[in-house]
Amino acid sequence: MTAGVLMTRSRTDRPMESAPVLWNPSTAWKEQTNMAQYLRWIKDHRKLSFESYEDLRKWSVDHIADFWLSIWEYYDVISHSDYEKVIDVPSGTIMGTRWFTGSTLNYAEHVFRQSNDQHPAIIFKSERHPIQHISWKELESRVAAIAAWLKNKGVSKGDRVVSFLPNTPEALMAFLATNSIGAIWSSCSPDFGTASVVDRFQQIEPKVLFTSDGYSYNGKPFDKTAAAQELVSALPTLEHVVWFPYLNTDAPLPSIPNIVLWNDVVKTASGKLTFTPVSFDHPIWVLYSSGTTGKPKAITHSQGGILLEHLKALGLHQDCKPGDRFFWYSTTGWMMWNYANSALLHGSTVVIYEGAAAWPDIHALWNFAAEAGINHFGGGAAYYIACMKKGVSYAGQNKFPALRSVGSTGSPLPPEAFEWLYDHIKQDMWLISLSGGTDICSGFVGGSPLLPVHKGEIQCRMLGCAVEAFNDDGEAIYDEVGEMVITQPMPSMPVFFWNDEGQEKYRASYFEMYPGIWRHGDWLRITDHGSLIIYGRSDATLNRGGVRIGTSEVYSAVDSIPEVADSLVVCLEKDGGSYYMPLFVVMSSGHPLNDAMKDKINATLKSAYSPRHVPDEIIEVSEIPYTISGKKMEAPVKKILMGMDPKKAVSKDAMRNPAALDVFMKLATA
C-alpha cells in the first residue's frame, strides 16, 4: 500500500516550496473527533497535555510502551489473563519484539461487543445484487453457525482456513467465524490465477477452503469452478470445502471431495457465539507479498498486534464512530479488505461493493456512496485519477451530504487529484492519503483529523510510528529525500513469515540495509511542517546524473496530460555508468503519439519538475502491466529490459494483465 503524493513543481534536489492548504478543520470539527476525545482521556488519566498533534506523536514514539498501554486501556481491551510486560525488545534490533506477554484475547470478541440494534453491521451491493443491509443480529447468527460447523469438523486453534471468495458478506462472516475459534485465516481473490493461489495456500497447509463458483466484473460472469477444482487437487491437506454459489445458485455441486453448500453450513445449530482466547502473538491471518518475483512471502500477523493497530488506526486516524458507514473499494486479496473490516471494532458499518469500479460507467462507486450514505469513502489513487481524466464532477450538486472523509492509497495520488477531489467531489471533507503496506496491514503515515490538508502531501506520521528518512549513512534527514525507516517496533509488524526457517526472509526483507532498523523501501521526504511526501519505491528509483528521482514525480506530471491514459517509467543502468530512461505511455482513444505529443509530454515534465525528468525516449504501448492489487510493475519491467529471463523477473500469475508484458519482452530482444 504505497500512497506517495507529490507537490507540484517540487524537486528532490532542492528545498521544497510551501504547498497550499486545501482544507483546514474547524475548532468544532476537531472537538468532536475521536482524536480529541483520546487527548482528553490522556489528560485525565495520564496527566499529560499536548499543544499539537506533533507533540502527541513524538510522545507516542519516545514513550512507546506508555503509548501502546494507553491504547490498550483507552479501548478497554478484553484480556482473559493478565499481561506480564507491555513490551520486550531484543538487544540491538526491533525485530522479534514481543508485546503484552502473558495476555490472551480474541479479535472477534472485540468486534461483537459492538453489536447493536441501531445500525446495520454490513451494507452490501454488487453488480448482481441491489443494496442490502445485514443487521448485527444476523451477522452474529451466521458467524456462530459457521464457527460451530468448523468446530464440528475438527478445526481448532492454530488450524488454517482459506478463502477463494469474492468480496461479499460471506467472506467476512467466514473470517470472523475462523477467528472466533482461534484458527488462522488467509484469503485470495477469485481474480487471481490458479497457480498464484496455489503458491500462496500451499505454504500454509490449510484444513478448510471456502470457495465460490466465480465472480462478476464489468457486467460479465467469470466462472471459476474449474479453478476451484484445480486448487483443491493442489492442496492435499484440505479436509473440507465449503461451496458458495455466487453466480448460479441452482447449479449442482461440482465433483470435489468433502464438499458442502454454504447454506447447509449456516444452518448448523450453534447456540451462543463463543470466543477462544489466544496469546497476543497468536497468528490472526496470513497475507502475501505481491509475488511478482518468486513465491509470495507469507506474512503472518498477530491477533493482538492487529487488534491494537486497527483500534488506533481506524479509531483515531480514520475517525470511525459507532454507526458510521466505512467503505474502501477492494478485493478479498488486498490488505485493505482486512483493514476496512476492522471498522467493525468501532461499531461502524462496513460497506462492501463487489464488482468493477467503473461499471456500468465511471459514476458507479460515487452513486453507491450517495445511495448507501457513506461517511468514509476509500479507494486506490488510480481510480481517482481515472475519474479526474474522465471529467467526473459533482460540483454544486450536494450529492454526498453524509461524506466526511475520502481516503486514497495503493499508488501515488498527484497534487492535481487532490484539487480535483475538493473541486469536483466535495469541498468540506477530509482527504486522507494513507501509506503503509501488507507488511503491517495498516499505515505508517496517513491522516489526522486535527491537521490541515496540504495539496499533494500526506498529513502526518501516525501515532506509534517512529518514521524517519535516512541518508546512506543511516542519519535522519529533513526536507530531503531519504530511505523510509521505522526506528521503533510496532505491534502489527509481522510475527514471522510462514515457513521462514531462521527468519532469514524476514530479516532480508526489512533489516539488512540498516541493521536492527526496519527499512521499508520507499523514498520519503519529511517537510518542515511535519507532512510527508513519498516519491515511490526506492528499488524503482530513477537515477539522472547522480540525482535520485521518484517515479511518482514523472507520473504526477504525465497524469496531468489528458491525452495520456497511463504511463510507466524505468531507468536502466548501462555500461560505463550511464543511464537510459524510457517512458512508456498508453494514449487515450483518438490521440496518437506523434512528435507534437512527445514535445508536450517532455515540456510538461520539464516545466513541472526539471530537465532531469525528461525521458530519453517515449514509447507507446497498449497497456501498462499491473499486479493483481493494482501496482505498476516497474521493477519487473526494468529487470526484463536489462536482460533477465522473464520467468525469473516476474510471476505472471501475480499479474492483473499478463499480456501487457509481451511488448517489453520483445523490446528486450530487439
Side-chain angles (χ1 to χ4, degrees):
M1 182 179 60
T2 300
V5 293
L6 296 165
M7 187 184 68
T8 302
R9 301 183 184 278
S10 70
R11 312 278 208 281
T12 55
D13 57 344
R14 67 163 176 79
M16 196 176 69
E17 301 167 3
S18 179
V21 172
L22 299 178
W23 177 81
N24 216 343
S26 66
T27 300
W29 165 283
K30 293 178 185 178
E31 285 300 309
Q32 56 80 41
T33 63
N34 293 336
M35 189 82 76
Q37 182 176 323
Y38 170 71
L39 282 167
R40 290 189 287 268
W41 184 91
I42 284 284
K43 186 174 183 178
D44 292 341
H45 292 78
R46 296 289 189 272
K47 309 306 178 188
L48 295 171
S49 294
F50 301 99
E51 294 297 319
S52 66
Y53 171 81
E54 179 55 24
D55 288 341
L56 172 64
R57 189 205 66 84
K58 194 171 188 306
W59 171 79
S60 77
V61 296
D62 289 345
H63 301 84
I64 201 85
D66 291 341
F67 167 70
W68 286 107
L69 178 58
S70 79
I71 296 298
W72 176 283
E73 294 180 349
Y74 178 69
Y75 284 107
D76 192 21
V77 169
I78 303 166
S79 181
H80 296 266
S81 56
D82 294 335
Y83 66 84
E84 300 155 1
K85 194 175 182 180
V86 172
I87 185 172
D88 185 7
V89 186
S91 176
T93 181
I94 65 173
M95 180 178 170
T97 297
R98 298 186 65 211
W99 296 87
F100 292 92
T101 54
S103 64
T104 52
L105 42 72
N106 185 278
Y107 171 98
E109 184 174 12
H110 290 79
V111 167
F112 283 102
R113 73 173 175 178
Q114 298 292 341
S115 182
N116 65 85
D117 297 328
Q118 289 75 48
H119 312 289
I122 299 171
I123 296 175
F124 171 64
K125 186 177 182 179
S126 77
E127 293 183 355
R128 305 174 63 84
H129 303 89
I131 194 166
Q132 55 186 270
H133 293 63
I134 297 172
S135 69
W136 278 92
K137 182 178 180 181
E138 181 181 354
L139 176 63
E140 186 167 349
S141 173
R142 293 289 183 92
V143 170
I146 300 164
W149 181 87
L150 288 169
K151 287 189 282 190
N152 289 343
K153 297 302 180 183
V155 179
S156 59
K157 183 169 69 174
D159 288 335
R160 275 77 66 200
V161 175
V162 294
S163 164
F164 194 47
L165 294 171
N167 190 15
T168 64
E170 286 75 12
L172 176 51
M173 292 169 184
F175 158 64
L176 290 171
T178 298
N179 182 267
S180 73
I181 65 173
I184 302 166
W185 175 261
S186 193
S187 175
C188 286
S189 174
D191 58 355
F192 278 37
T194 309
S196 68
V197 182
V198 171
D199 282 346
R200 287 160 169 79
F201 287 168
Q202 270 186 348
Q203 297 183 59
I204 64 172
E205 300 180 313
K207 202 169 190 177
V208 174
L209 167 69
F210 287 85
T211 187
S212 73
D213 57 351
Y215 65 99
S216 178
Y217 195 82
N218 279 334
K220 299 176 182 177
F222 290 84
D223 190 289
K224 300 293 285 189
T225 302
Q229 291 172 314
E230 185 179 346
L231 180 59
V232 171
S233 297
L235 298 174
T237 59
L238 281 181
E239 296 178 7
H240 301 280
V241 176
V242 179
W243 187 258
F244 174 55
Y246 180 70
L247 294 180
N248 188 349
T249 57
D250 298 324
L253 281 172
S255 178
I256 292 175
N258 299 315
I259 190 171
V260 60
L261 268 174
W262 170 271
N263 283 345
D264 292 335
V265 170
V266 296
K267 291 176 183 175
T268 304
S270 59
K272 184 177 174 60
L273 177 62
T274 59
F275 306 98
T276 301
V278 296
S279 64
F280 188 97
D281 58 2
H282 182 81
I284 184 172
W285 53 51
V286 180
L287 305 179
Y288 303 92
S289 64
S290 59
T292 52
T293 57
K295 284 189 181 292
K297 294 183 284 287
I299 300 170
T300 308
H301 293 119
S302 69
Q303 285 231 22
I306 289 298
L307 175 63
L308 281 189
E309 174 61 31
H310 287 186
L311 285 171
K312 178 210 73 175
L314 284 108
L316 303 183
H317 291 279
Q318 302 275 170
D319 203 41
C320 285
K321 302 173 184 293
D324 277 0
R325 298 180 175 194
F326 187 89
F327 169 76
W328 208 289
Y329 179 70
S330 180
T331 71
T332 54
W334 188 23
M335 56 138 289
M336 290 308 297
W337 181 83
N338 307 68
Y339 182 85
N341 288 338
S342 285
L344 292 171
L345 292 170
H346 300 277
S348 298
T349 298
V350 171
V351 183
I352 300 171
Y353 185 83
E354 168 62 17
W359 188 88
D361 57 43
I362 196 70
H363 300 279
L365 291 187
W366 297 115
N367 289 336
F368 179 46
E371 181 184 13
I374 288 171
N375 303 112
H376 307 279
F377 181 101
Y383 172 69
Y384 300 126
I385 293 168
C387 289
M388 179 178 67
K389 285 179 171 287
K390 293 278 189 181
V392 171
S393 179
Y394 305 109
Q397 297 182 28
N398 193 29
K399 187 178 178 73
F400 311 106
L403 189 63
R404 294 210 316 273
S405 75
V406 168
S408 175
T409 193
S411 61
L413 184 70
E416 295 79 10
F418 270 66
E419 271 192 325
W420 171 80
L421 281 162
Y422 279 104
D423 290 343
H424 298 281
I425 300 302
K426 189 175 182 179
Q427 288 186 328
D428 184 20
M429 69 172 186
W430 171 32
L431 175 54
I432 304 168
S433 186
L434 182 69
S435 182
T438 303
D439 320 81
I440 60 164
C441 198
S442 187
F444 295 114
V445 296
S448 167
L450 306 181
L451 297 175
V453 173
H454 289 262
K455 178 181 176 181
E457 298 178 5
I458 299 172
Q459 283 181 291
C460 65
R461 291 175 277 184
M462 293 170 69
L463 298 177
C465 300
V467 175
E468 300 290 349
F470 270 18
N471 62 18
D472 291 341
D473 296 324
E475 301 166 331
I477 54 177
Y478 299 92
D479 208 24
E480 297 179 45
V481 176
E483 283 276 359
M484 177 177 169
V485 299
I486 293 85
T487 62
Q488 293 280 9
M490 293 173 59
S492 66
M493 286 175 172
V495 282
F496 51 79
F497 291 174
W498 206 275
N499 291 333
D500 180 20
E501 189 172 347
Q503 297 206 320
E504 292 304 315
K505 290 181 181 178
Y506 191 174
R507 186 174 292 104
S509 294
Y510 311 114
F511 295 100
E512 283 192 340
M513 179 173 284
Y514 304 107
I517 291 175
W518 178 295
R519 175 246 184 185
H520 193 58
D522 283 337
W523 288 124
L524 172 73
R525 189 202 298 254
I526 303 172
T527 75
D528 58 4
H529 52 271
S531 65
L532 305 108
I533 302 165
I534 293 180
Y535 292 86
R537 296 295 294 175
S538 54
D539 58 7
T541 301
L542 312 174
N543 191 319
R544 303 293 276 172
V547 176
R548 293 165 173 167
I549 297 173
T551 56
S552 56
E553 288 190 318
V554 174
Y555 301 142
S556 177
V558 175
D559 283 340
S560 71
I561 303 171
E563 295 90 344
V564 180
D566 204 356
S567 62
L568 182 141
V569 64
V570 295
C571 192
L572 312 179
E573 296 84 1
K574 299 176 68 175
D575 293 340
S578 61
Y579 296 87
Y580 166 66
M581 189 175 90
L583 172 67
F584 301 95
V585 297
V586 177
M587 300 305 296
S588 299
S589 179
H591 296 282
L593 181 64
N594 52 30
D595 289 342
M597 183 53 61
K598 292 179 181 179
D599 290 343
K600 180 175 181 178
I601 293 170
N602 289 336
T604 301
L605 285 160
K606 185 176 181 180
S607 172
Y609 292 101
S610 78
R612 293 188 181 95
H613 292 74
V614 176
D616 294 306
E617 189 173 2
I618 302 175
I619 301 169
E620 184 173 4
V621 295
S622 58
E623 57 181 333
I624 300 300
Y626 280 89
T627 66
I628 288 173
S629 61
K631 296 179 181 178
K632 294 183 183 184
M633 300 179 66
E634 296 151 337
V637 165
K638 176 178 177 177
K639 291 174 182 177
I640 289 170
L641 294 177
M642 291 287 289
M644 180 181 285
D645 182 346
K647 293 180 181 178
K648 295 180 179 179
V650 62
S651 169
K652 287 191 173 184
D653 284 320
M655 294 183 62
R656 176 191 295 173
N657 52 346
L661 283 179
D662 292 348
V663 65
F664 299 101
M665 291 188 286
K666 290 178 182 177
L667 287 170
T669 57

